Amino acid sequence: MPTTPGADPSDATPSEAPDAAPADAPDAAPADARMWNRLTALHAQVEGRLATVLQRRHGLGLSEYRALGLLAEAPKSELRMQELATGLGLNQSSVTRLVARLGAADFTYRDLCPDDKRGVYTVLTDAGRTRHLEARATYEEALTGALDEAAVGAPELAPLLGAARSALG
């Protein structure tokens, strides 16, 4: 059945659209969508492995580890809550809960900004710096292992991972 002039071609059934592939065909998704789906699956796989290893060996969640790392690299080992939220890619309420957990573990403490009483800093403690340093080798080892396994398990990703390592490493 021909489409009506001015009709949206995406409303056409596969038999009406000669270039359309069946929905269950392997190439149904555009190349960019397939690539992005594969990268997000890789990301989830690697993040899962990192989270498990850090929790088992160091009692840290992945966001907690990353927060300690951001604080360790920050001037005076302190960041405003919003800076920490931005650096972690989390919303304000999630960072508030995260900082509460880190504070309860004596890895951080909260401090008021001297020139803006509404501003709150999260400050790294010596115990937090020590825990981050202890966990860093585990994180790096697990990350390298997960990426190496991904390159072997999905050979199509090996060139991408190699290029990323060369360009960013």
Side-chain angles (χ1 to χ4, degrees), residues 36-57:
W36 189 248
N37 289 339
R38 186 64 187 104
L39 287 176
T40 58
L42 171 64
H43 178 265
Q45 175 186 348
V46 171
E47 292 280 283
R49 180 166 172 178
L50 292 171
T52 299
V53 168
L54 286 172
Q55 188 63 53
R56 285 183 182 162
R57 293 188 191 171

Side-chain angles (χ1 to χ4, degrees):
M1 170 183 208
T3 59
T4 309
D8 185 350
S10 65
D11 293 336
T13 62
S15 62
E16 293 173 329
D19 296 335
D24 59 347
D27 292 335
D32 282 347
R34 286 192 316 274
M35 177 270 308
W36 189 248
N37 289 339
R38 186 64 187 104
L39 287 176
T40 58
L42 171 64
H43 178 265
Q45 175 186 348
V46 171
E47 292 280 283
R49 180 166 172 178
L50 292 171
T52 299
V53 168
L54 286 172
Q55 188 63 53
R56 285 183 182 162
R57 293 188 191 171
H58 302 282
L60 286 175
L62 192 50
S63 292
E64 293 166 343
Y65 169 80
R66 289 185 174 140
L68 294 176
L70 288 172
L71 290 166
E73 294 173 357
K76 299 183 189 177
S77 296
E78 64 183 22
L79 289 171
R80 283 180 162 239
M81 294 289 281
Q82 187 57 46
E83 293 171 318
L84 193 55
T86 300
L88 294 170
L90 297 174
N91 63 40
Q92 193 68 38
S93 64
S94 295
V95 169
T96 298
R97 290 189 304 273
L98 171 76
V99 168
R101 289 191 307 273
L102 292 173
D106 293 325
F107 296 150
T108 65
Y109 65 90
R110 294 167 59 113
D111 196 16
L112 293 178
C113 178
D115 55 332
D116 177 5
K117 296 300 180 196
R118 295 173 297 150
V120 177
Y121 284 104
T122 301
V123 184
L124 186 65
T125 65
D126 289 340
R129 184 178 309 283
T130 298
R131 180 61 60 94
H132 180 260
L133 288 173
E134 291 168 352
R136 188 170 61 190
T138 300
Y139 176 90
E140 291 172 359
E141 179 183 304
L143 176 59
T144 297
L147 293 174
D148 288 348
E149 286 176 19
V152 170
E156 71 278 10
L157 291 178
L160 173 66
L161 292 171
R165 283 173 161 165
S166 294
L168 303 174

